[in-house]
């Protein structure tokens, strides 16, 4: 089992749609969780941290389920500019593990 | 000013050559990383340094040797380049190894290495 697993997609959605990504992790001792965004031929950039109680940033909502060892990202009212690859990131003791990413394409 | 800068941006070289990629961060961070992103887009950690000390050394061929002259710099030297080394190499930094926001990583723009 991979340490961090994501559905690679692609997810193709129309503008205005709501889309959700899940990510599972294998290390129950993982401490910190993040979603990053990577545009084509660019570097990854932090989208948002994921807190135990769940957190929201505008159209984006992140949730953490420690018991089931998964995190999720919900994007509401998708914009064309949301098209990117979304990377789930999990921190253990000293290392950061990236998922392979979920590709999202938002179409007009 | 770019927070994490790496050079060169593109590197095209022949098999068997030795090359270096440089990375510098001006964020005052203690921890720096090297990642490799292959053609399948999977981002895999190679090394991390905290205050110039090696913390993580994944299963990477010993042809790859990181060097951290100070905590603002982490360079990557690659000996005897092979075709399979072709990838995008990203440098990153974080405040330190602590939890939460201290782990947020800031990436350089990447170095696209092509080995012919």
């Amino acid at each position: 089992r991979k340490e961090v697993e994501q559905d690679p997609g692609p997810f193709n959605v129309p503008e205005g749609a709501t889309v959700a990504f899940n990510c599972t992790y294998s290390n129950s001792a993982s401490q910190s969780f993040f979603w990053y965004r990577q545009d084509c031929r660019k570097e990854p950039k932090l989208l948002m941290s994921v807190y135990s109680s769940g957190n929201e940033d505008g159209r984006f909502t992140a949730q953490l389920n420690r018991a089931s060892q998964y995190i999720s990202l919900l994007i509401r009212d998708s914009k064309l500019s949301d098209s990117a690859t979304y990377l789930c990131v999990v921190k253990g003791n000293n290392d950061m593990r990236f998922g392979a990413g979920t590709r999202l394409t938002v179409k007009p | 000013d770019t927070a994490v800068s790496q050079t060169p941006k593109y590197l095209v070289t022949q098999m068997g050559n030795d090359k270096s990629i440089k990375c510098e961060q001006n964020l005052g961070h203690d921890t720096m990383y090297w990642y490799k992103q292959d053609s399948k887009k999977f981002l895999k950690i190679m090394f991390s340094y905290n205050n110039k000390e090696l913390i993580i050394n994944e299963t990477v061929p010993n042809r790859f040797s990181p060097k951290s002259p100070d905590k603002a710099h982490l360079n990557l030297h690659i000996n005897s380049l092979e075709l399979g080394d072709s990838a995008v190499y990203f440098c990153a930094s974080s405040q330190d190894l602590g939890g939460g926001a201290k782990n947020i990583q800031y990436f350089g723009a990447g170095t696209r290495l092509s080995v012919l």
Side-chain angles (χ1 to χ4, degrees):
Chain A
R1 183 182 174 187
K2 291 180 184 173
E3 293 183 57
V4 181
E5 287 202 70
Q6 295 181 247
D7 180 347
F11 284 65
N12 298 310
V13 303
E15 270 187 291
T18 295
V19 62
F21 307 138
N22 285 333
C23 166
T24 58
Y25 59 94
S26 61
N27 183 356
S28 60
S30 297
Q31 301 167 357
S32 304
F33 308 87
F34 308 90
W35 283 102
Y36 277 69
R37 169 193 171 132
Q38 186 173 22
D39 292 290
C40 187
R41 298 182 69 80
K42 297 286 189 182
E43 72 273 22
K45 291 183 179 177
L46 178 72
L47 178 66
M48 59 196 302
S49 301
V50 186
Y51 303 122
S52 297
S53 55
N55 49 299
E56 192 173 304
D57 182 2
R59 298 180 294 108
F60 299 85
T61 301
Q63 302 240 317
L64 167 64
N65 185 320
R66 282 191 186 271
S68 300
Q69 294 180 208
Y70 79 82
I71 67 174
S72 64
L73 177 68
L74 182 77
I75 306 175
R76 291 181 300 277
D77 189 22
S78 300
K79 310 290 184 192
L80 295 177
S81 58
D82 293 335
S83 296
T85 296
Y86 291 83
L87 304 167
C88 169
V89 185
V90 175
K91 180 187 179 292
N93 286 333
N94 286 327
D95 61 354
M96 298 280 275
R97 300 291 167 174
F98 282 72
T102 298
R103 175 92 186 119
L104 171 67
T105 301
V106 181
K107 301 192 173 184
Chain B
D1 282 344
T2 305
V4 181
S5 59
Q6 49 183 113
T7 55
K9 192 168 182 178
Y10 299 96
L11 187 52
V12 181
T13 189
Q14 299 286 333
M15 266 195 329
N17 284 350
D18 303 339
K19 290 292 178 186
S20 291
I21 308 172
K22 296 186 176 182
C23 180
E24 175 182 3
Q25 53 94 4
N26 63 5
L27 296 167
H29 287 169
D30 285 349
T31 310
M32 295 185 72
Y33 311 80
W34 276 109
Y35 289 88
K36 177 181 180 180
Q37 189 168 44
D38 58 27
S39 56
K40 294 182 180 178
K41 307 300 183 188
F42 185 56
L43 196 66
K44 188 171 182 182
I45 192 164
M46 300 173 70
F47 303 101
S48 80
Y49 271 71
N50 189 58
N51 274 320
K52 301 194 305 175
E53 280 193 40
L54 180 65
I55 301 297
I56 294 172
N57 184 352
E58 291 291 297
T59 308
V60 176
N62 58 13
R63 298 182 294 104
F64 290 78
S65 52
K67 284 191 171 50
S68 183
D70 55 63
K71 71 177 190 177
H73 295 83
L74 181 62
N75 304 323
L76 183 65
H77 189 75
I78 315 171
N79 288 328
S80 303
L81 278 155
E82 299 178 357
L83 294 176
D85 298 332
S86 296
V88 181
Y89 292 83
F90 286 102
C91 175
S93 73
S94 66
Q95 184 175 336
D96 56 39
L97 293 170
K102 294 183 178 181
N103 296 143
I104 293 172
Q105 298 197 5
Y106 298 83
F107 284 79
T111 295
R112 282 159 181 78
L113 171 65
S114 295
V115 182
L116 306 176

